């Protein structure tokens, strides 16, 4: 699936292109509204509203006037009014910065499903009928997860250890829930930052270490989260045999 990204900010576009690439999307990127309107057709457009040469809403209006291509607006905080206008102009959805790649991919899949958008099929009577989106959206795990003495309920965002409630900040919960999706697997630092924080997180990733330290403290045993040196972290139940000791 080919995406057209209209975004002037390299710090946002770079990580987005990389992150979306990991999900199998091909991304054509332009920096201005004019280039966006001149770009060849894509299967879906990601449109930043704050562009250097024109108002993103005008780009949205022009795109919609000539094409049914699904449009997801990328908006900054404080652009609520623009979002409403954008949706009225025919945008299909919006993402408010900051957001994670995984969240965006879920939104892309939802919009694609809703609009029945397909990788460019020439219009005409012989065109193939819409097919369902390529893959199911990110799995929503509603059943509580039990890992040894650790109980994680993603629906209520509650964590219990040996039946005792553990108070986590929202980010700590997201980090724990993410690591727990695949216990024992090493999650790379950047992968964690992209998913639990957002794809245009820059600078030192010390905040990740701080959250890992807080989780270890709250879980009462540093062995819950082991460090794969130079790579990332993994969640293991303390006492469980580990394939290799990388602490
Ligand atoms: Ca911008």
């Amino acid at each position: 699936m080919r995406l057209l990204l209209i975004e002037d900010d390299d710090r946002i576009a770079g990580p987005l292109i990389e992150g979306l690439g990991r999900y199998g999307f091909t991304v054509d990127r332009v920096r201005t509204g004019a280039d966006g309107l001149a770009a060849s057709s894509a299967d879906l457009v990601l449109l930043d509203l704050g562009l250097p040469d024109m108002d993103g809403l005008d780009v949205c209006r022009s795109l919609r006037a000539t094409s049914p291509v699904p449009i997801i607006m990328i908006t900054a905080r404080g652009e609520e009014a623009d979002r409403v206008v954008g949706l009225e102009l025919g945008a299909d959805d919006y993402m408010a910065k900051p957001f994670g790649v995984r969240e965006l991919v879920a939104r892309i899949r939802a919009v694609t499903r809703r609009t029945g958008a397909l990788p460019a099929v020439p219009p005409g009577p012989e065109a193939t009928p819409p097919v369902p989106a390529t893959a199911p959206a990110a799995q929503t795990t509603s059943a509580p997860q039990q890992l040894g003495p650790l109980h994680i309920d993603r629906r209520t965002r509650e964590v219990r250890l040996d039946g005792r409630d553990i108070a986590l900040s929202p980010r700590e919960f997201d980090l724990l829930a993410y690591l727990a999706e695949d216990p024992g697997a090493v999650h790379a630092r950047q992968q964690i930052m992209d998913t639990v924080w957002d794809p245009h997180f820059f600078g030192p990733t010390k905040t990740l270490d701080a959250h890992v330290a807080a989780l270890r403290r709250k879980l009462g045993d540093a062995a819950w989260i082991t460090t794969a040196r130079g790579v990332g972290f993994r969640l293991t139940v303390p006492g469980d045999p580990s394939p290799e000791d990388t602490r």
Side-chain angles (χ1 to χ4, degrees), residues 7-8 48 50:
E7 167 67 78
D8 57 309
D48 176 32

Side-chain angles (χ1 to χ4, degrees), residues 30-97:
V30 296
R31 289 178 169 78
T32 65
D35 285 347
L37 293 175
S40 54
S41 67
D43 302 313
L44 185 142
V45 175
L46 301 171
L47 171 66
D48 176 32
L49 291 188
L51 294 167
D53 62 328
M54 21 188 324
D55 187 328
L57 292 174
D58 290 330
V59 179
C60 181
R61 185 186 289 114
S62 300
L63 278 172
R64 184 50 78 240
T66 57
S67 158
V69 66
I71 300 170
I72 297 179
M73 299 177 287
I74 300 173
T75 70
R77 274 192 222 288
E79 288 181 339
E80 271 93 350
D82 284 352
R83 288 174 205 158
V84 173
V85 174
L87 293 172
E88 281 171 358
L89 288 175
D92 295 280
D93 206 346
Y94 66 84
M95 294 289 298
K97 297 173 189 173

Side-chain angles (χ1 to χ4, degrees), residues 187-211:
H187 299 264
R189 296 182 70 93
Q190 194 56 49
Q191 194 185 353
I192 297 171
M193 293 308 298
D194 282 359
T195 312
V196 179
W197 275 263
D198 63 80
H200 37 87
F201 187 93
F202 282 87
T205 53
K206 283 271 177 265
T207 183
L208 171 55
D209 299 279
H211 281 79

Side-chain angles (χ1 to χ4, degrees), residues 5-224:
L5 171 63
I6 309 175
E7 167 67 78
D8 57 309
D9 191 338
D10 290 344
R11 292 167 308 168
I12 291 170
L16 261 189
I17 292 167
E18 200 221 302
L20 288 167
R22 274 188 264 124
Y23 281 89
F25 294 98
T26 306
V27 183
D28 296 328
R29 186 263 177 125
V30 296
R31 289 178 169 78
T32 65
D35 285 347
L37 293 175
S40 54
S41 67
D43 302 313
L44 185 142
V45 175
L46 301 171
L47 171 66
D48 176 32
L49 291 188
L51 294 167
D53 62 328
M54 21 188 324
D55 187 328
L57 292 174
D58 290 330
V59 179
C60 181
R61 185 186 289 114
S62 300
L63 278 172
R64 184 50 78 240
T66 57
S67 158
V69 66
I71 300 170
I72 297 179
M73 299 177 287
I74 300 173
T75 70
R77 274 192 222 288
E79 288 181 339
E80 271 93 350
D82 284 352
R83 288 174 205 158
V84 173
V85 174
L87 293 172
E88 281 171 358
L89 288 175
D92 295 280
D93 206 346
Y94 66 84
M95 294 289 298
K97 297 173 189 173
F99 53 84
V101 163
R102 203 160 60 154
E103 193 185 348
L104 176 59
V105 168
R107 218 63 81 82
I108 290 172
R109 286 176 178 155
V111 165
T112 307
R113 245 194 320 270
R114 210 161 61 219
T115 59
L118 274 175
V121 175
E126 68 283 349
T128 51
V131 297
T134 47
Q139 186 194 351
T140 48
T141 316
S142 52
Q145 183 180 8
Q146 193 73 38
L147 279 166
L150 185 65
H151 176 93
I152 303 172
D153 191 333
R154 290 175 173 75
R155 212 166 36 80
T156 59
R157 297 179 68 84
E158 284 169 339
V159 173
R160 283 200 294 280
L161 185 65
D162 289 322
R164 182 171 53 91
D165 281 331
I166 306 284
L168 298 181
S169 73
R171 194 77 86 180
E172 288 162 1
F173 179 88
D174 290 342
L175 174 59
L176 179 65
Y178 178 62
L179 293 175
E181 279 177 13
D182 195 357
V186 172
H187 299 264
R189 296 182 70 93
Q190 194 56 49
Q191 194 185 353
I192 297 171
M193 293 308 298
D194 282 359
T195 312
V196 179
W197 275 263
D198 63 80
H200 37 87
F201 187 93
F202 282 87
T205 53
K206 283 271 177 265
T207 183
L208 171 55
D209 299 279
H211 281 79
V212 167
L215 270 181
R216 283 173 172 156
R217 200 172 57 242
K218 290 183 176 180
L219 295 174
D221 188 341
W224 275 106

Side-chain angles (χ1 to χ4, degrees), residues 230-241:
V231 183
F233 299 98
R234 71 164 161 233
L235 186 76
T236 45
V237 179
D240 269 13

